[in-house]
């Protein structure tokens, strides 16, 4: 598994070659691992920079290039849907902030090779219903599927998640802090970045830092964290490191009780992806380094959205119970990362499970 970290370091410009030339079997493993971790396109960047003697066998290389072309095509489609959505909301008088996905990808060395999932954006809660109405002009809306903080829509076969709240945090005080921070920046302090030649409204760096870290913490406990999210944060740090060191950004992380989580994630970026220490100049404790190693082992085993862990099985009746105990186990095992959230996850997940059961009976 260390080979994929080396390959990512090459892709990100943090080393020139692998420690040694992998065998054909190892390249097959790397190909599968890159998909599990949602970094297949980024790995192609690394392969293109390797010396000829270290490149994969022709058949594996062709599979990888074919997958990369699919990723690039999906990325292009997502960009067109992003612009279409932005224009639809803007014409309808709705302020929106786009987040994650293409926003993170815009910072990659080769943005078109970041794997796409869906398109996330947030609007004011009072405008949520109107947002769904507008989205029906350009696509379809699943009005039966309203999650606890977002809805679901489809435009040109691309999944959209229109949020009326950036995220639901398990700890009530953390959740309240995020809502207060959101009210301070939305919509008056939004900024614009360029994606595919278009200006897209996004959150300012201090808020986005807290959002990205919170999103990663959620993945760690609820679903499994993949290397794609780690690379997303690393790309953000490399671009916004001066803003991250500001009192405003550190204050946001403090309000969210996620200073330790940020430090651990930053340690992972430095220790395993080769991020320059000079960017943040953080001195990590022995405990933080030890936990960063533990977290990296979990990332390797579990993968993006937990795809590497078959913890649910095929028995649908037992899936909710297995999911619950899986989360509880992760909160115990990885609680050091963010105790404020880990303590509340078992309570919140159990409460949501009971509410779903109650709603079905009603």
């Amino acid at each position: 598994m260390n080979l994929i970290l080396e390959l990512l370091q090459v892709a990100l410009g943090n080393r020139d070659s692998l420690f040694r030339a992998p065998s054909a079997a190892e390249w097959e493993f790397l190909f599968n691992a890159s998909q599990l971790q949602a970094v297949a396109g980024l790995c192609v960047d690394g392969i293109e920079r390797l010396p000829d003697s270290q490149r994969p066998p022709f058949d594996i290389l062709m599979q990888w290039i074919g997958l990369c072309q699919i990723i690039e095509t999906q990325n292009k489609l997502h960009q067109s849907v992003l612009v279409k959505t932005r224009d639809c909301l803007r014409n309808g008088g709705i302020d929106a902030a786009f987040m994650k996905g293409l926003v993170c990808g815009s910072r990659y060395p080769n943005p078109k090779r970041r794997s796409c999932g869906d398109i996330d954006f947030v609007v004011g809660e009072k405008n949520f219903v109107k947002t769904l109405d507008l989205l029906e002009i350009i696509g379809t809306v699943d009005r039966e599927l309203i999650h606890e903080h977002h809805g679901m829509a489809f435009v040109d076969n691309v999944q959209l998640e229109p949020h009326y709240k950036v995220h639901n945090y398990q700890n009530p005080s953390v959740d309240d802090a995020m809502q207060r921070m959101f009210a301070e920046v939305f919509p008056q302090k939004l900024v614009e970045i360029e994606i595919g030649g278009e200006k897209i409204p996004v959150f300012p760096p201090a808020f986005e830092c807290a959002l990205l870290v919170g999103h990663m913490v959620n993945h760690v406990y609820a679903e499994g964290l993949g290397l794609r999210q780690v690379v997303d944060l690393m790309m953000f740090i490399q671009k916004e490191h001066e803003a991250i060191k500001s009192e405003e950004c550190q204050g946001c992380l403090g309000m969210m009780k996620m200073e330790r989580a940020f430090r651990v994630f930053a340690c992972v970026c430095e220790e395993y992806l080769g991020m320059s220490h000079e960017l943040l100049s953080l001195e990590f404790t022995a405990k933080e380094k030890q936990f960063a190693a533990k977290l990296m082992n979990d990332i390797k085993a579990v993968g993006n959205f937990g795809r590497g862990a078959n913890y649910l099985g095929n028995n649908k009746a037992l899936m909710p119970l297995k999911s619950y105990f899986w989360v509880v186990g992760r909160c115990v095992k990885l609680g050091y990362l963010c105790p404020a959230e880990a303590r509340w996850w078992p309570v919140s997940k159990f409460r949501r499970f009971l509410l779903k059961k109650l709603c079905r009976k009603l």
Side-chain angles (χ1 to χ4, degrees), residues 215-235:
H215 179 63
M216 293 173 73
V217 167
N218 180 75
H219 265 271
V220 167
Y221 295 131
E223 300 163 313
L225 186 70
L227 286 172
R228 181 179 65 178
Q229 288 95 347
V230 180
V231 175
D232 285 349
L233 182 66
M234 179 174 162
M235 296 295 96

Side-chain angles (χ1 to χ4, degrees), residues 50-56:
L50 289 176
D52 291 342
S53 61
Q54 291 192 340
R55 291 189 176 181

Side-chain angles (χ1 to χ4, degrees), residues 232-285:
D232 285 349
L233 182 66
M234 179 174 162
M235 296 295 96
F236 175 77
I237 291 173
Q238 289 190 167
K239 186 175 187 299
E240 303 290 354
H241 54 95
E242 291 300 332
I244 290 169
K245 291 185 282 190
S246 69
E247 289 185 10
E248 181 185 10
C249 186
Q250 294 305 308
C252 287
L253 289 170
M255 288 176 66
M256 296 292 293
K257 298 180 172 63
M258 292 187 182
E259 308 103 306
R260 179 189 291 171
F262 174 78
R263 288 178 61 87
V264 169
F265 291 141
C267 183
V268 169
C269 291
E270 287 191 20
E271 295 285 325
Y272 301 99
L273 292 180
M275 185 177 78
S276 171
H277 177 74
E278 282 67 36
L279 288 175
L280 297 175
S281 299
L282 294 175
E283 298 303 327
F284 303 111
T285 66

Side-chain angles (χ1 to χ4, degrees), residues 293-307:
K294 183 177 183 178
L295 181 61
M296 178 50 69
N297 286 333
D298 184 76
I299 291 170
K300 293 175 182 178
V302 174
N304 193 46
F305 286 101
R307 293 190 180 100

Side-chain angles (χ1 to χ4, degrees), residues 95-332:
D95 290 309
F98 290 86
M99 52 191 183
K100 299 183 286 189
L102 292 174
V103 177
C104 291
S106 69
R107 306 181 185 106
Y108 275 50
N110 194 346
K112 65 183 179 181
R113 289 184 175 173
R114 182 193 182 274
S115 297
C116 294
D118 50 29
I119 295 177
D120 292 87
F121 64 91
V122 63
V123 299
E125 188 171 0
K126 65 180 181 181
N127 288 324
F128 182 66
V129 174
K130 184 179 178 182
T131 296
L132 299 184
D133 294 339
L134 288 169
L135 290 176
E136 285 188 324
I137 298 173
I138 59 173
T140 59
V141 175
D142 186 347
R143 292 186 183 263
E144 296 298 317
L145 208 164
I146 304 295
H147 194 266
E148 55 198 16
H149 59 278
H150 66 76
M152 187 78 70
F154 297 87
V155 176
D156 298 340
N157 294 319
V158 173
Q159 180 176 307
L160 272 64
E161 288 190 357
H163 291 241
Y164 54 87
K165 185 180 179 185
V166 289
H167 188 69
N168 263 358
Y169 294 92
Q170 313 312 307
N171 186 323
S173 66
V174 172
D175 200 57
D176 287 345
M178 174 53 82
Q179 290 188 65
R180 291 197 304 273
M181 288 162 48
F182 176 76
E184 290 178 3
V185 302
F186 185 87
Q188 61 273 19
K189 294 183 181 179
L190 297 182
V191 298
E192 289 187 331
I193 63 171
E194 188 173 301
I195 298 178
E198 296 281 345
K199 297 293 185 180
I200 305 298
V202 300
F203 289 114
F207 185 90
E208 187 180 2
C209 184
L211 181 62
L212 286 177
V213 173
H215 179 63
M216 293 173 73
V217 167
N218 180 75
H219 265 271
V220 167
Y221 295 131
E223 300 163 313
L225 186 70
L227 286 172
R228 181 179 65 178
Q229 288 95 347
V230 180
V231 175
D232 285 349
L233 182 66
M234 179 174 162
M235 296 295 96
F236 175 77
I237 291 173
Q238 289 190 167
K239 186 175 187 299
E240 303 290 354
H241 54 95
E242 291 300 332
I244 290 169
K245 291 185 282 190
S246 69
E247 289 185 10
E248 181 185 10
C249 186
Q250 294 305 308
C252 287
L253 289 170
M255 288 176 66
M256 296 292 293
K257 298 180 172 63
M258 292 187 182
E259 308 103 306
R260 179 189 291 171
F262 174 78
R263 288 178 61 87
V264 169
F265 291 141
C267 183
V268 169
C269 291
E270 287 191 20
E271 295 285 325
Y272 301 99
L273 292 180
M275 185 177 78
S276 171
H277 177 74
E278 282 67 36
L279 288 175
L280 297 175
S281 299
L282 294 175
E283 298 303 327
F284 303 111
T285 66
K287 178 68 174 176
E288 287 169 339
K289 289 184 178 181
Q290 181 182 20
F291 187 82
K294 183 177 183 178
L295 181 61
M296 178 50 69
N297 286 333
D298 184 76
I299 291 170
K300 293 175 182 178
V302 174
N304 193 46
F305 286 101
R307 293 190 180 100
N310 184 23
Y311 62 93
L312 291 179
N314 297 318
N315 189 325
K316 292 185 178 180
L318 293 177
M319 282 183 182
L321 194 61
K322 287 185 176 181
S323 175
Y324 177 76
F325 283 110
W326 191 70
V327 169
V328 171
R330 294 181 67 74
C331 289
V332 173

